[in-house]
């Protein structure tokens, strides 16, 4: 009797598993895409001051403080307030330079200040720029509608080829684009896309 009950219970398990497999086989998973429109709302400038670069080319400058003072004076003459910089010596140490140096950082929303900084060029000073790329909060909901519509269009085209159509959404995988991000390159050659993987039941 126990043997018969065991066989019956195993048959039930196999039956449920078969039904689950059949249900999974009646779904379709597609990707939906939408381009993310962003605006540049801020700028971050890093000035790396390195004595490695001035050791031979500027023999009159023998210390980091001298280099820094010369740079600050040039900035002041260009109309920029050097006191707005914050200093990050730890990051400079991680760069592996042989001689002393430091990194000066500044963040602004002003293109004019960015322009002033970029004008001051000096041996021993290397500038790097980052741009604050922002997604307007009012556009976020509209982007979700668009990416889901694109996914459904893709699902319809595929289902049509096999004589079915997409039904309810079973699963969505993907993250929402960040409200803001810092980029080091500006240009239209590399647009940002938001992608969601959407699974539909097939009817």
């Amino acid at each position: 009797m126990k043997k018969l009950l065991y066989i019956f219970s195993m048959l039930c398990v196999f039956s449920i598993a078969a039904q689950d497999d059949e249900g999974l086989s009646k779904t379709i998973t597609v990707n939906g895409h939408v381009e993310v429109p962003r605006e540049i709302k801020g700028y971050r400038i890093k000035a790396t001051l390195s004595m490695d670069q001035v050791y031979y080319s500027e023999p009159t400058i023998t210390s980091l403080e001298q280099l820094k003072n010369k740079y600050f004076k040039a900035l002041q003459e260009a109309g920029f307030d050097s006191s707005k910089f914050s200093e990050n010596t730890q990051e400079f140490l991680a760069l592996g330079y042989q001689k002393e140096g430091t990194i000066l950082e500044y963040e602004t929303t002003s293109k004019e200040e960015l322009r002033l900084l970029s004008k001051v060029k000096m041996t021993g000073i290397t500038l790097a720029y980052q741009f604050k790329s922002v997604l307007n909060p009012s556009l976020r909901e509209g982007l979700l509608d668009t990416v889901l519509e694109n996914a459904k269009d893709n699902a319809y085209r595929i289902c049509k080829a096999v004589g079915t159509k997409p039904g309810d959404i079973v699963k969505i995988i993907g993250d929402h684009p960040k409200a803001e991000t810092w980029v080091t390159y500006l240009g239209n050659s590399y647009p940002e896309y938001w992608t969601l993987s959407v699974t539909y039941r097939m009817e």
Side-chain angles (χ1 to χ4, degrees):
M1 182 66 179
K2 290 183 179 179
K3 187 175 181 180
L4 288 174
L5 288 173
Y6 174 76
I7 293 172
F8 177 74
S9 64
M10 291 301 294
L11 287 173
C12 288
V13 171
F14 288 142
S15 175
I16 293 171
Q19 290 176 10
D20 289 342
D21 289 342
E22 184 181 356
L24 289 173
S25 67
K26 293 182 179 179
T27 61
I28 180 173
T29 300
V30 296
N31 288 333
H33 308 277
V34 64
E35 187 172 346
V36 180
R38 291 188 179 274
E39 298 177 274
I40 300 302
K41 293 292 187 179
Y43 311 93
R44 183 185 289 160
I45 303 97
K46 288 188 178 185
T48 301
L49 282 65
S50 171
M51 290 300 294
D52 281 24
Q53 300 178 28
V54 300
Y55 186 72
Y56 294 106
S57 59
E58 293 283 347
T60 58
I61 299 177
T62 58
S63 70
L64 177 60
E65 282 305 310
Q66 287 180 325
L67 176 61
K68 195 185 299 183
N69 289 336
K70 182 178 181 180
Y71 183 48
F72 285 172
K73 182 179 179 180
L75 288 174
Q76 185 177 5
E77 291 173 352
F80 181 79
D81 182 3
S82 59
S83 66
K84 295 179 178 180
F85 275 117
S86 62
E87 194 163 359
N88 189 339
T89 55
Q90 292 299 316
E91 184 175 348
F92 178 83
L93 291 175
L95 296 177
Y97 284 99
Q98 297 297 313
K99 300 188 179 301
E100 63 177 338
T102 191
I103 290 179
L104 303 174
E105 300 177 333
Y106 180 61
E107 190 172 319
T108 181
T109 58
S110 169
K111 279 187 178 181
E112 179 60 22
E113 289 186 336
L114 179 70
R115 187 187 66 80
L116 287 176
L117 276 168
S118 64
K119 282 176 59 179
V120 178
K121 303 182 187 302
M122 186 183 301
T123 301
I125 312 293
T126 304
L127 296 181
Y129 306 95
Q130 289 182 308
F131 306 90
K132 189 176 184 179
S133 181
V134 177
L135 171 60
N136 191 319
S138 64
L139 300 177
R140 292 168 72 90
E141 187 174 344
L143 287 178
L144 177 59
D145 292 339
T146 302
V147 76
L148 289 177
E149 182 180 348
N150 179 249
K152 195 164 189 178
D153 288 343
N154 294 335
Y156 265 110
R157 284 196 292 269
I158 296 173
C159 286
K160 184 178 180 181
V162 295
T164 61
K165 63 180 181 178
D168 295 334
I169 293 176
V170 176
K171 182 170 59 175
I172 299 176
I173 299 176
D175 295 325
H176 203 286
K178 294 180 181 179
E180 61 182 54
T181 184
W182 288 93
V183 297
T184 56
Y185 173 79
L186 288 180
N188 297 322
S189 300
Y190 303 96
E192 178 186 355
Y193 288 94
W194 180 24
T195 300
L196 287 179
S197 176
V198 185
T199 300
Y200 298 89
R201 294 194 187 280
M202 293 175 67
E203 298 179 348

